[in-house]
Amino acid sequence: MDQTIEPGGTPATAAPAHPTVPHRPLTVPAGEAEARARAFHEVMDRRRTVRDFSDRPLPEGVVEWAIRTAATAPSGAHVQPWRFVVLTDPERKRRLREAAEAEEREFYARRASPEWLEALAPLGTDWSKPFLETAPAVIVVFEVHKGPDSPRPYYTKESVGISVGLLLATLHQAGLATLTHTPSPMRFLNEVCDRPPEERAAYVVPVGYPAEDARVPDLRRKSLEQVMVRL
Ligand SMILES: Cc1cc2nc3c(=O)[nH]c(=O)nc-3n(C[C@H](O)[C@H](O)[C@H](O)COP(=O)(O)O)c2cc1C
């Protein structure tokens, strides 16, 4: 820290309250900004939630880079309250599928309200989750709450949600498909993933190449006019 201590022990200049470093902005010429934003949109507009995976192996390193990118997300008070558990072992994936399907059977048969089931109908989803075994990797994303080795987080859901957005975007632009899966409830994931109680699973993300004949629901995204308000 830049400060001179006077003989009397008093700092000559007020020390900054916290250390800082120079910002390293990503410099984009203003004339290129729209084209870059548009090009990113074109890539992201091709992302779809895939529920039919091939067992084709993942290219080396992509999952690790995606998790590094996810971990660049902003977080409340910079607590970084996330953990990404990567399951590739077939036996773990089998246990995950078995436990998830048990919860999902209950969900579809009893827990889901008629209104919720109606909203899900166009997606054609049901209790069966073969993708949890077929996809070569399943990333289980945990929120990290206060515990013996973890501080109290702030805005945990928001922070983890943003990091998962970055995770999905990175995997997608590397040519991989993902599914954002949220079995409910998720407590069983602590046992399957060997995680302590202060970690709470929030997302289960199978990652892989789509099956050759994969199809996706015919959905429409809202237009800019429907989602943006300019004042
Ligand atoms: C928080 C969240 C939870 C979701 N949970 C499930 C799920 O449990 N099972 C599933 O098949 N899809 C799930 N989805 C995927 C959505 O159904 C999907 O994003 C939506 O239908 C739009 O389709 P698209 O992702 O292809 O644009 C979830 C998505 C989000 C953001």
Side-chain angles (χ1 to χ4, degrees):
M1 204 178 301
D2 268 342
Q3 74 177 39
T4 329
I5 305 291
E6 299 283 53
T10 325
T13 52
H18 56 275
T20 60
V21 293
H23 176 46
R24 296 183 299 131
L26 193 63
T27 310
V28 176
E32 284 175 29
E34 185 185 2
R36 289 189 50 170
R38 184 182 181 144
F40 189 61
H41 167 76
E42 274 162 19
V43 171
M44 291 313 301
D45 201 32
R46 295 276 299 270
R47 184 206 56 78
R48 290 302 314 270
T49 293
V50 165
R51 297 177 180 86
D52 261 324
F53 285 86
S54 119
D55 59 3
R56 182 177 158 195
L58 294 176
E60 198 70 31
V62 177
V63 164
E64 289 78 1
W65 283 112
I67 292 174
R68 282 189 189 99
T69 302
T72 68
S75 63
H78 192 49
V79 173
Q80 307 172 77
W82 39 65
R83 175 91 58 222
F84 302 90
V85 177
V86 183
L87 302 183
T88 51
D89 171 45
E91 174 54 21
R92 287 269 180 178
K93 290 194 293 167
R94 193 196 58 73
R95 279 171 55 199
L96 170 64
R97 175 182 178 180
E98 200 174 79
E101 287 186 339
E103 295 292 358
E104 292 285 289
R105 268 182 209 275
E106 270 296 301
F107 174 82
Y108 281 93
R110 272 173 281 278
R111 277 199 297 264
S113 64
E115 197 182 16
W116 197 341
L117 291 177
E118 200 183 314
L120 289 173
L123 306 179
T125 54
D126 60 23
W127 60 267
S128 133
K129 307 294 167 196
F131 47 75
L132 294 174
E133 282 192 274
T134 326
V138 179
I139 306 175
V140 184
V141 185
F142 286 80
E143 296 169 359
V144 182
H145 291 263
K146 188 170 164 47
D149 300 314
S150 48
R152 190 197 143 179
Y154 301 91
Y155 295 108
T156 316
K157 288 215 174 307
E158 294 82 349
S159 306
V160 174
I162 295 171
S163 81
V164 169
L166 295 177
L167 181 81
L168 301 184
T170 310
L171 293 166
H172 168 65
Q173 66 82 48
L176 295 175
T178 55
L179 161 60
T180 314
H181 177 42
T182 44
S184 164
M186 299 209 204
R187 263 296 168 203
F188 71 91
L189 288 161
N190 285 72
E191 199 195 318
V192 174
C193 300
D194 294 340
R195 300 315 304 163
E198 63 272 20
E199 297 191 11
R200 295 184 207 151
Y203 303 85
V204 175
V205 183
V207 182
Y209 288 98
E212 244 170 55
D213 56 352
R215 297 184 65 84
V216 291
D218 182 11
L219 304 177
R220 296 282 173 278
R221 293 190 169 129
K222 290 182 178 175
S223 67
L224 180 67
E225 292 65 36
Q226 287 172 300
V227 300
M228 185 175 96
V229 177
R230 199 192 286 279
L231 297 174

